[in-house]
Amino acid sequence: MYDDFRFSNERFADIQILRYRLNGFEDLTPRQRVMAFYLAKAALWGRDITFDQMGKYNLRIRKLMEVVFVCLNGHCKNEDFNALECYLKRIWFSNGIHHHYGGEKFNPGFSKDFLLEAIQNISPEKLPLEKGETVEQMIEKLFPIIFDPNTTPKRTNKNDGDDLVLTSACNFYDGVTQKEVEEFYQAMKDEQDPEPPSWGLNSTLVKTGGVLHEVVWKTDGCYGTALKNVVFWLEKAADVAENESQKEVIQSLVKYYRSGDLRDFDHYSIRWLGCHEGDIDFINGFIEVYDDPLGIKATWEGLVEYKDHEATKRTRTISDNAQWFEDNSPVDSRFKKKVVKGVVANVICAAMLGGEEYPASAIGINLPNADWIRAEYGSKSITIGNLTEAYNKAARGSGFREEFVIDEATLSLLEKYADITDDLHTDLHECLGHGSGQLLPGTDPDALKAYGNTIEETRADLFGLYYMADAKLVELGLLPDMDAYKAQYYAYLMNGLMTQLTRIQLGNDIEEAHMRNRALIAGWVYEHADGAIELVKKEGKTFLKVNDYKRLRSLFAELLAEIQRIKSEGDFEAARLLVERYAVKVDAALHSEILERYKKLDLAPYKGFLNPRMSPIYDANGQIVDVKVDYDETYVEQMMRYSKEYSVL
C-alpha cells in the first residue's frame, strides 16, 4: 500500500518538508489506534506553549502574519507577499521568529510599508490586539521585533562572556540576570538530597518589586488553558490504555500537570520508565533544556509512538549487553556504573509529533534526564525508525555524497554501510551513551552550566563512535563485518569538520548544542590525529582523507575518557575550554567553499515533517471506535488548521 508514498513535500527557504508514514499502524487494534489518537490530541495541544517559550512575541507575530496571509492570499501576488508567505512558513517551522537550529532572527524579506498597509486594511477585531490596545500601539510594539535586526537578535545566546539570559530572546526569564538566576537555583539545592528535583524545569523566573519568584507552568497557573486541554485528552487516553501500568503512568502525569510539583514529575518519570508492556507509548511535557542558555528550563514537547517489533530486536540486543559495554568503556573506573540498571531500548514508529519535536524532530531520544533517576532506575531509549526511513528515502540521488566524499572507494564504503551504521550509532548514543557513567558523589548535575548540553551530547556520541569499531558488534550480529565501522567514522568526521557548515550562515559561529558536539569531536581529533586524518585539496576542493581508521578509535577513546571525567567531576573550566576552542568558531575560507559547493546541489540543509492526519470513526452512539489516517494535507493547510484548532493562549 506504500509503493507510491511520496516522502518529499514542499520546500521553502532552507527547509525541505517531508512526510513520514505510519508503517504497521493498520495492524494495531482499533482500541490501540483510538488510544494513539487521544495521545496525539494531547501532543498537539501544547503547540502554543512551545511558541511562547521560544519568545514572548512569537504568538502575536504568528497570529498577525496568519491574518495578513489569509486576507491577502489570492488577491496579492507580488514579491512582498511571497516574502511574507515564506516568513510565515519559517515561523511555523521554528515555533517562532528565530531559526530553529542556528537561533538567529529571520529577516522578514518584505517591507514595513507593505505590512503597514496590509494591517490598515484589516478590521481591528481580526488582529491579535491585547485588551485595551490600539492597532497603532500593536504596530509600535511588534514592528521593532520583526524588522530591527538588533532587537532580540538571538533566541538562545551561548557566547562566552555575555549575560546569556539578558541577551537571549527565549521566554524563560523576565527581568532577571544570569547571575541572579544561577544564585537563585543554587540556593534551592540541598547537597544532602539523594533525589534532587530538576529545580526550575517547569517555571518562568521573574522579578517583581525586586523579588525573584517562579511562575509555575501548570493547569491553574501559567499556560493553564493549554495544559487543561492536554490533560483532557490524556485522561481520555487513560480510559482506553492497554494495561493498568499505562493508565497509572498517564494518571501520574496528569497529577504533575495539576500540581506543578517537580517531585510529582520525578514520580511520573519513574513510573513511565518502568512501563514496558503494550505497544503504545508517548512523551509529553517539559523535558529538554537545549533552548535555555543556562540549561535549566525545559521546552514543551509531545510525541506519540508505537513499537516496531522487528527493528527492536537490534536495540534489545544492545540493551541486553549494557553491562558489558559499561565495563569495557575506556573511561576511569571511578566514573563507571558498577551495576547498570533498567536500560530499555525500542525502535518505534512516530504516530504524531508536537511542540519542540515538530516539525523538526529528533531521530533518537533517551529519558529521563535526571541523573539520580538514571543511576537508580535506568533509562528508556527510542530510535524513531519511520523518521529515519523518510530521511533516507528523500536523500536518495541527491548528489551530496558524490560532491563531498573523497573517492570512489569511500563512496562505495558509505553506500554499503552508511545506513546501518547511522542507525546503530543512534542506538548506541541513545541506548547506552546517555545512560553510561556516573557522577562522583557531591557533583552538582548542573555544574557545567551553559556547556552541559554540548558536553553530554559529545559524551554520548563518543561512546557510540568508540564501540562502533568493536568486534563485539559483529559478534552480536549488529554489524556484518569489521569494515562497516569505517563508514560511520568517515561520515561523522566529514560532517563535523565540513558538511554541517552548510547549516550555518557565512560569518556566524556554531550555536546549536549537537552541532557544537560534532565540531568538538572532529576538531579535537583532527588536531591530535598525527596524520590519521587530513584535509586535502583535489581540483581546488577540500576533502577529508582518512589514513588510519584504527588510530581514530584510540583518539575517540582518549577524548571519551576526558569528557566523562569532566562530567563526573563537574569540571566547568575544562568544559568551557574544550567547547570554546573546538566547537564554536568556524574557518571562514573553508565555510565559504562548502557553502558554494552545496549551493550548486540545490538542496535544503534542514528537513522537518508534516504529521499524518488522524480522523476519528464514530459508532451509532457517537463513541470513537477507530481512527483512519491520511497524508493529504499540505503544509499550509496543516499549520493553519493547527492554529485554528489548538490555540488558546
Side-chain angles (χ1 to χ4, degrees), residues 231 250-261 264 267:
V231 164
I250 297 172
Q251 289 172 337
S252 66
L253 177 58
V254 168
K255 179 182 178 182
Y256 159 63
Y257 275 143
R258 287 180 171 147
S259 73
D261 187 331
D264 285 343
H267 295 156

Side-chain angles (χ1 to χ4, degrees), residues 1-5 21-27 629 631:
M1 70 182 284
Y2 295 128
D3 291 344
D4 60 348
F5 190 89
R21 61 187 182 187
L22 304 194
N23 303 320
F25 190 74
E26 67 278 5
D27 297 327
V629 175
Y631 307 92

